[in-house]
Amino acid sequence: MADLNSEQEFIVQGEPVKSGQLADHLSREPGVKRIGQVAPDVVILSMTKSQADRLRSTFSTIVVEPNAPLKPFGAG
């Protein structure tokens, strides 16, 4: 289990990303770094688990999941 205070990458998806609400919120959230944008409604952020949990509670319509390598089809 990841330490609540150690930074890791998260994939964040939803309408608040596309509309700019998330970007506005992140301007007031120190320590969250934007790594990249992979679609109009999907960004990759570097943040702590605590910060990810706060995003989930702030925006009920977004999905926040740890970024992980994709498994090949047919793998476990």
Side-chain angles (χ1 to χ4, degrees), residues 36-60:
Q37 184 151 1
V38 294
D41 66 341
V42 181
V43 292
I44 299 174
L45 303 176
S46 176
M47 60 187 157
T48 65
K49 184 169 183 329
S50 296
Q51 290 167 318
D53 291 342
R54 277 199 303 276
L55 281 183
R56 285 184 189 100
S57 65
T58 301
F59 298 102
S60 61

Side-chain angles (χ1 to χ4, degrees), residues 2-26:
D3 179 4
L4 291 178
N5 295 318
S6 64
E7 285 198 4
Q8 59 181 333
E9 287 186 6
F10 288 87
I11 298 173
V12 182
Q13 179 179 14
E15 182 57 34
V17 176
K18 191 174 186 178
S19 70
Q21 289 177 304
L22 180 69
D24 183 53
H25 174 79
L26 293 178

